[in-house]
Amino acid sequence: MKKYILGLFAVAVVASCSSRQEKAMKSADKDFILKAANDNFAKKKWKNALALYDRLANLVAGTDDFPNVGFNTAYANYYDKSYKLAGHQFKNFAVNFPKDPRAEEAAYMSALCYYEGSMDYNLDQSSTELAINELQEFLTNYPNSERSKNINQLIDELSYKLEFKAYENARQYFKMGQYKAANVALDNVLEDFPSTKLRPKIYDYIMKSRYELASKSVYELKSERIESALTYTKMVEKELPNTEYAKTAVELRGKLEKEKQNFVVLKKQVDERVAALNAKQKKEEAKLAEKNKTEQQIKDQISNEKRAMQMQRDSAALKTPPPAATFKIQR
């Protein structure tokens, strides 16, 4: 029976609250709407509170209640996880009411909203970059604030998200076997984030990329790539001593040294083969040149003989006198 009575009471309370919300939504009484909105806010009924605060925006404009409505609206949106909207509202409050005691809190909450709105690393990171800018702006405007103590930690967290996204994008090239692109992309991560905590992993992937490039390289670039990979293994061992990465560097260097020795043998064989082919080619070219020379000599001889015979014929024609003239006697 007691449970039944409590159930009825709860239903009555809900009905009463619902009825009050409906009345406030239809009312034109600013004070009534404001009280109902603030009660909803106190009871953490964010959507109900927001619906009423939205009605109050024009009703309280220019009054002392305007800042409170704006401040509570921003918080209600924050707790309702509408971080982008809440951040915009908090920022407007801080800008429009700089002398209000809550201005610093609003500026902090604005930055925090942008932080909360930062997307996962594998999604678009424009929100993360915006959040970093907002957090840094708070540090600039309130360097001595108690609220600044955790700002750097939040900035580091967001910066790491950007680093990790860039690292993952570069690592995808390695997974796809595009080692040259992976090497360039990973180098860019180090350049863009010189203080990155991912440096050891990046070194490892660059080293492996250079090893793969050297192992699978075309003949013309193989020697250069082997030396590049060997140099990098030594750098990794020096920069990261007594680590798994240094151990990997030693293992890869051993493989590269064998690769280098095999290539020296191969290069010697190729050079000998090339030299033999060049010698053969030169010999063939000499034979062809000799043949062409002989043929040309024969052609020249024939041409000279023809010219000599023509000269003889011309000479004979000049020495033969023309026949005597013949006259007919008239009868």
Side-chain angles (χ1 to χ4, degrees):
M1 184 67 179
K2 185 177 181 182
K3 290 183 178 179
Y4 177 73
I5 293 172
L6 289 174
L8 287 176
F9 178 74
V11 171
V13 170
V14 171
S16 174
C17 291
S18 177
S19 176
R20 189 183 183 201
Q21 179 74 10
E22 289 178 2
K23 287 180 181 179
M25 288 296 293
K26 296 176 181 179
S27 175
D29 185 342
K30 172 179 74 71
D31 294 331
F32 178 68
I33 300 172
L34 181 60
K35 188 175 187 312
N38 288 339
D39 287 345
N40 281 329
F41 185 87
K43 294 175 183 177
K44 300 182 181 180
K45 296 180 178 180
W46 311 121
K47 293 189 184 299
N48 286 347
L50 285 167
L52 295 176
Y53 283 137
D54 187 56
R55 292 205 64 223
L56 284 165
N58 292 328
L59 296 175
V60 299
T63 70
D64 292 341
D65 293 319
F66 185 69
N68 294 330
V69 169
F71 195 73
N72 285 0
T73 300
Y75 259 116
N77 275 310
Y78 172 77
Y79 289 126
D80 198 42
K81 297 184 179 180
S82 297
Y83 298 121
K84 187 174 182 179
L85 179 58
H88 179 69
Q89 291 169 337
F90 276 123
K91 189 163 188 175
N92 281 345
F93 184 93
V95 171
N96 293 327
F97 305 104
K99 295 183 179 180
D100 190 292
R102 297 166 294 184
E104 180 187 318
E105 180 183 353
Y108 174 77
M109 288 303 300
S110 174
L112 190 62
C113 284
Y114 286 107
Y115 164 81
E116 294 288 356
S118 172
M119 306 294 284
D120 291 340
Y121 82 89
N122 56 330
L123 301 175
D124 178 64
Q125 289 302 295
S126 56
S127 60
T128 301
E129 294 170 353
L130 180 59
I132 292 174
N133 291 336
E134 292 294 327
L135 290 166
Q136 289 176 334
E137 184 177 339
F138 180 82
L139 280 178
T140 300
N141 294 334
Y142 302 96
N144 300 319
S145 171
E146 284 293 315
R147 295 183 175 90
S148 296
K149 291 182 178 179
N150 72 325
I151 293 291
N152 284 323
Q153 181 181 342
L154 298 180
I155 291 175
D156 287 344
E157 182 182 332
L158 294 174
S159 296
Y160 181 76
K161 191 183 292 188
L162 295 179
E163 294 171 16
F164 192 75
K165 181 179 179 66
Y167 163 73
E168 279 295 298
N169 288 343
R171 200 163 67 96
Q172 290 304 313
Y173 289 116
F174 182 87
K175 289 182 177 180
M176 293 186 293
Q178 298 181 22
Y179 303 116
K180 187 175 181 179
N183 190 69
V184 172
L186 289 163
D187 271 332
N188 288 340
V189 176
L190 290 176
E191 185 176 342
D192 294 338
F193 304 99
S195 301
T196 179
K197 299 173 183 177
L198 296 167
R199 183 173 292 273
K201 291 183 178 180
I202 293 173
Y203 278 169
D204 186 51
Y205 274 105
I206 291 177
M207 177 173 64
K208 289 175 180 176
S209 295
R210 294 194 179 192
Y211 168 76
E212 294 292 344
L213 269 177
S215 300
K216 299 175 172 62
S217 178
V218 295
Y219 178 83
E220 292 78 6
L221 299 174
K222 195 170 186 69
S223 179
E224 176 186 342
R225 287 177 173 175
I226 288 176
E227 292 302 329
S228 174
L230 282 170
T231 300
Y232 210 85
T233 61
K234 294 173 184 177
M235 186 277 288
V236 171
E237 187 179 10
K238 181 180 178 182
E239 292 290 325
L240 305 170
N242 304 317
T243 64
E244 58 179 304
Y245 306 112
K247 182 179 179 182
T248 301
V250 173
E251 291 175 357
L252 292 182
R253 186 157 65 250
K255 293 180 181 179
L256 286 166
E257 290 291 356
K258 289 182 180 178
E259 191 84 21
K260 183 178 180 179
Q261 292 172 4
N262 292 337
F263 183 71
V264 168
V265 174
L266 175 64
K267 188 174 185 304
K268 183 179 179 182
Q269 293 173 347
V270 170
D271 289 345
E272 289 174 352
R273 178 62 177 163
V274 169
L277 288 173
N278 287 337
K280 183 178 180 181
Q281 184 177 359
K282 286 181 180 179
K283 188 176 180 180
E284 292 294 331
E285 289 175 353
K287 287 174 65 177
L288 180 62
E290 185 63 28
K291 180 181 177 182
N292 291 338
K293 181 180 179 182
T294 302
E295 289 178 352
Q296 187 62 43
Q297 287 175 342
I298 293 172
K299 289 179 181 179
D300 291 344
Q301 183 177 352
I302 293 172
S303 178
N304 291 335
E305 289 176 355
K306 287 181 177 180
R307 196 161 41 247
M309 291 175 66
Q310 184 63 42
M311 289 176 66
Q312 288 177 0
R313 286 196 292 269
D314 293 344
S315 178
L318 290 172
K319 291 179 180 179
T320 302
T326 302
F327 300 96
K328 291 184 179 183
I329 301 174
Q330 295 182 354
R331 296 187 180 190

